[in-house]
Amino acid sequence: MGCFEIGALWLMVTIISVDADTSAGGIQAECLGNRVQFILPSSLSAGGPLEVYAVNNTQTVLLTPHLAAQCGYTQKSDPWGNTIVSASLKNCFAEIKGDQEFKVAIQVKLDEFSMLSEKVYEAFKSCSHTLVSREILCETNFMEVSVRNAIPEIKKAPVKEWPAVIPNLQLWKILLYTPEEKAFDKETLQGMGYSVYSSPTRLVLRSPYNMAETFVQNVDDVDMMVFKSVVLFRDRWMLAIVESAAACPTDGASVVGEMIYWRFPLNITPLVSSEVEILEVHMGINGRRLTPEEMSSLNFGMTFTESHVVVEIPVGAPGGYYKSHALENHLHISYSIEPMLELLWKEGLDKTTYKVLFPITTPLTPWPPQIIDNTQPKKKIFDILLGYFLPDVELLNITFGSELLTVSEIIITGLVLQEQSFPNGTKAFNLQVPFSEPYVQVKMFRPDRRTYILPLVFGFVILPEHASFSHSAVLEVSLNDTVLPNAGGSCIEDIFNIHIKYGSTPRSQLKIKLGQVELNDNILQQYEHHSNETHFNIVVPFLAPLVAIESVQLTGVMGRIDVEIYDTLNDLLVKDFSLACPFFVKMSECFSNGTITVVLPKLESLKRLAPGELSLRDPACKPLYNEDHFAYFRFDVTTCGTTRKFVEDTMIYENEFTWKSDEPLLQISESHSEAEYRFTVSCIYTANATQSMIFHAVSQLREPEADVGKGELTVSLRLSQDMVYRLFYHDGDYPVLKFLKQPLYFEVGMDHSRDSRLAVTLENCWATLTKDRESKPRWDLIVDGCPNPKDPEQTVFHPVIEDDRVDIPDHFKRFEVKTFTFTEDDGSSENEGDAMARRVFVHCDVVICHVENIADGRCYKQCAATQNTIRSSSNRVLRSSSFSEEALEHVSIGPILLI
């Protein structure tokens, strides 16, 4: 014992030197053939790292990983915290006598009280071992070859001949084959990390793995790391050559099911030059040779083929161990074992012993913790058992909701937290939490029902590497039943009418999805909907993006809307509902001026089809407008490859929609498969037809006479099929299908009046999503007789001129609306990303005024000239103001389906 003053501290060093066989300090050692092994118990380290030193008569050297591989030492830890130090009997620091007696000593240092006290254990082991001609050792971090280099005895010559002389050979050069030949001297080679030792009888060379001068060679489908050398000894008049090589496997193990197979070549070609005679083969575990009886009891197997010996080891066999791993915050396990194979073969008169220790680890296997919920609601205590873990897993903390508590803090709070061990070496953790604890959430679904919820996150650490992972669990106990949300619906004309009952779940706790879209305030703004504390209703047009189109025919479409209701508190899908209906709406129109319009919605079954890629027979005829869910075409009967044929007194025009690729496109017919989606449009016109026109002739020979009678002046709002106001949609045509960028042409006219002194004036016009003219949202089109000043470019007045249909232009007002004004906000700007399919109704307040009473400013007033007002002498834009409800005529039209 010695004391050394360091500043103001005194360092006390205690050295305890023992033969390891005495187990002083718990250190154990044993001789294992050409190796010696020390086991340093975990109690020595007290949880801290150990420093291991190599010792001989003159040196005490710290064994760093680099020095250990160079000098023949291996150091590792087992799952129980023990440190295992093994060494070759021919290591750099061994005391060797006659190549038969070997003494290996180590020194172990550990700090107990930082710098105040230090204990040093010194242990040694003496082993006897008989060497053969060549010995090869493959350890986990180095490979070693030992060969006999004694000069054979020279017989005495006759007296009359030359006297016998024993040469004094010295190591001269070492040739390494990488596989090219390179020459080194001993000092250079040792400076590179190799070890070279020679005595009068033995030559020992040692190389760590993956050195620059080693190389990989495949031997019977097994990759082996090869270290090959020739050592030259010389005297002034003699040169001796000693060949030495080591070859150690780097693969050959595989896992099939619950069995490990290790294949090893019997004829190691880098080490032998001819066929050899295998004398002995032994198998062992952790450096210890096993007897055939021990192998049988452990279910180990060893079989031979023509070229290999195959070792069979069951996964989980004794001698190996399981290890926990954290991978992406999930628990995995692996099984590791270190089998040993010993071969003794004879080549000529020389024998070779070959020993390889080959650690094998199985691939990582997911090992999710199991939760056993033993909660008994009557006792109002959550009782959970979480397992099963290997001994190297420790519980660090538990997060209750948003509060993290360490294990010690949990115990202080009075909660029950116990670790339970099982005979198979696993363990589990038991936690009990009363319902009354503040960590437990209580949810009220209705007055007579309570649900107790305990969200938990367990935090774990894996020793000794301190890798962490977590596992979450949510415990929930409901004392009574609850009324779950429900959904239903029906189809009326061109809409889906979906109704949802909340049940006992608060509306704020529910998430509702229609199709693939979650309902929110922005989405609801696009559709007619009503809600209260218990119910919710929404009206969805059949061509809305929320709807999945299953099939399309000329007479309409088959649409489906999917409804999903989620409980956001529990993250559960509580209702899944689908409603499919046919909608008999014309998808194409044929106009008398030879124009054809077609709307092609995208089918759910053809997800790869982009509507913008559709074309008519002429590939240059693309959609006039398209969105992700539909394409709109407008073309003339004389263009785009349209064909014509005569059938009696009719003309039939026909065209076909195709894809731009070579694949057959769409077949919109129930009689064809979805893969043949094809759409053909036809228009039939009468070749010979006479149109009649009603007119009145006024006699000039007598004054007109007025009939006495009673009647009402009525006005109507109509939608024109085109901008020339010649053809109009009738009541049976609604809903009228229009797309979002297509203008709408409206006409307000006075019916059945011939009085030229009267004029129609528009007070206000607006659009809504329902028939109710007072409903919200509302988009203003005309305000106080003029285009909406907040949106001056969207509503355009068109002049009315006298023709064969219009006798008195002042009886009509015409205006054009760009339908993309109906966006989410107020129509002041276009936002295509927010444009939604909707069912729109248009309403107008109309006043009938006297044209000649120009002084009547209440009745009309000219609007300021704007770019969207088209004036002519035959059409005056009148602005009305301050009218009572009785003075207004109310007209409405719709629905107009916008997509």
Side-chain angles (χ1 to χ4, degrees), residues 58 96 143 200 314 374 407 451 482 542 606 683 717 811 869:
T58 59
I96 304 174
M143 44 189 174
N374 298 317
V407 170
T451 299
T482 185
F542 75 99
L606 295 177
C683 286
L717 174 61
H811 285 189
T869 301

Side-chain angles (χ1 to χ4, degrees), residues 751-868:
D751 299 329
H752 313 299
S753 175
R754 308 290 297 174
D755 190 346
S756 61
R757 296 169 297 173
L758 300 180
V760 171
T761 301
L762 298 179
E763 171 74 4
N764 299 295
C765 291
W766 67 97
T768 64
L769 297 179
T770 70
K771 292 181 179 179
D772 182 3
R773 60 197 307 272
E774 302 297 335
S775 64
K776 301 293 183 180
R778 164 176 171 153
W779 292 272
D780 289 323
L781 308 175
I782 297 173
V783 179
D784 292 338
C786 296
N788 181 6
K790 295 183 180 180
D791 194 12
E793 297 181 355
Q794 302 305 321
T795 301
V796 178
F797 286 105
H798 286 281
V800 182
I801 60 176
E802 186 176 350
D803 55 23
D804 57 356
R805 191 178 69 82
V806 176
D807 292 334
I808 306 173
D810 281 340
H811 285 189
F812 299 88
K813 287 295 177 286
R814 294 171 178 171
F815 62 94
E816 171 190 345
V817 176
K818 302 288 179 60
T819 59
F820 57 75
T821 57
F822 308 134
T823 50
E824 180 183 329
D825 301 322
D826 58 0
S828 60
S829 63
E830 176 187 2
N831 187 340
E832 295 184 13
D834 295 333
M836 303 290 290
R838 68 191 71 212
R839 191 168 172 258
V840 172
F841 295 82
V842 177
H843 316 272
C844 286
D845 291 337
V846 183
V847 178
I848 300 176
C849 297
H850 290 272
V851 175
E852 296 177 355
N853 190 4
I854 301 177
D856 187 0
R858 289 187 313 104
C859 184
Y860 55 85
K861 178 182 178 181
Q862 294 236 339
C863 296
T866 60
Q867 61 181 356
N868 60 323

Side-chain angles (χ1 to χ4, degrees), residues 273-438:
S273 57
S274 61
E275 287 195 14
V276 299
E277 179 184 358
I278 303 295
L279 302 178
E280 296 179 14
V281 179
H282 301 279
M283 184 250 180
I285 296 294
N286 298 327
R288 296 182 182 90
R289 184 185 294 183
L290 298 177
T291 65
E293 293 75 20
E294 290 173 326
M295 292 179 58
S296 177
S297 65
L298 297 174
N299 293 321
F300 292 159
M302 188 166 61
T303 59
F304 296 87
T305 67
E306 293 183 358
S307 57
H308 293 84
V309 56
V310 181
V311 176
E312 301 174 8
I313 304 172
V315 175
Y321 61 90
Y322 285 98
K323 181 75 179 73
S324 302
H325 305 270
L327 180 62
E328 297 180 351
N329 200 39
H330 293 287
L331 178 63
H332 292 66
I333 63 170
S334 67
Y335 173 76
S336 297
I337 193 168
E338 188 177 88
M340 179 186 71
L341 197 62
E342 291 182 279
L343 285 81
L344 175 64
W345 70 73
K346 183 177 181 181
E347 185 178 12
L349 298 177
D350 295 324
K351 293 181 179 180
T352 298
T353 61
Y354 183 97
K355 178 183 290 188
V356 54
L357 293 95
F358 193 75
I360 299 174
T361 299
T362 62
L364 296 186
T365 301
W367 191 259
Q370 301 180 32
I371 295 177
I372 300 176
D373 190 354
N374 298 317
T375 299
Q376 297 184 13
K378 293 183 179 180
K379 294 183 178 180
K380 291 191 174 183
I381 295 178
F382 286 109
D383 190 340
I384 181 176
L385 184 71
L386 183 63
Y388 295 91
F389 302 98
L390 298 177
D392 59 354
V393 174
E394 295 292 339
L395 178 63
L396 283 183
N397 53 58
I398 303 176
T399 301
F400 298 85
S402 59
E403 184 173 358
L404 186 147
L405 299 177
T406 64
V407 170
S408 58
E409 290 172 338
I410 294 172
I411 296 175
I412 292 174
T413 61
L415 298 179
V416 176
L417 178 61
Q418 298 174 330
E419 180 179 310
Q420 298 183 11
S421 299
F422 300 96
N424 63 357
T426 63
K427 62 183 179 181
F429 301 94
N430 176 243
L431 174 67
Q432 296 179 6
V433 180
F435 288 2
S436 58
E437 287 292 328

Side-chain angles (χ1 to χ4, degrees), residues 107 124 131 134 253 314 387 424 560 609 615 697 715 734 761 815 823:
Q107 193 178 92
F124 64 90
L131 300 172
R134 179 172 60 169
N424 63 357
R560 188 189 77 250
L609 172 62
S615 65
V715 292
Y734 290 92
T761 301
F815 62 94
T823 50

Side-chain angles (χ1 to χ4, degrees), residues 40-98:
L40 315 177
S42 58
S43 58
L44 286 182
S45 63
L50 292 175
E51 291 184 345
V52 180
Y53 294 78
V55 179
N56 63 13
N57 290 331
T58 59
Q59 292 179 292
T60 299
V61 181
L62 176 65
L63 284 176
T64 64
H66 174 78
L67 183 63
Q70 181 179 10
C71 283
Y73 290 83
T74 301
Q75 181 176 333
K76 60 185 178 181
S77 300
D78 64 15
W80 302 275
N82 303 318
T83 301
I84 301 172
V85 179
S86 57
S88 167
L89 294 182
K90 299 174 287 296
N91 66 78
C92 300
F93 302 95
E95 297 180 28
I96 304 174
K97 295 181 180 179

Side-chain angles (χ1 to χ4, degrees), residues 543-564:
L543 281 182
L546 306 179
V547 177
I549 303 300
E550 295 181 344
S551 63
V552 181
Q553 298 84 34
L554 289 174
T555 56
V557 302
M558 175 63 74
R560 188 189 77 250
I561 190 166
D562 300 321
V563 181
E564 294 181 350

Side-chain angles (χ1 to χ4, degrees), residues 590-622:
C590 304
F591 298 97
S592 59
N593 63 356
T595 300
I596 302 174
T597 62
V598 179
V599 174
L600 287 179
K602 182 175 180 179
L603 284 183
E604 180 187 30
S605 59
L606 295 177
K607 301 186 183 301
R608 293 192 305 110
L609 172 62
E613 297 176 357
L614 293 170
S615 65
L616 288 157
R617 284 175 180 158
D618 183 351
C621 291
K622 295 292 186 180

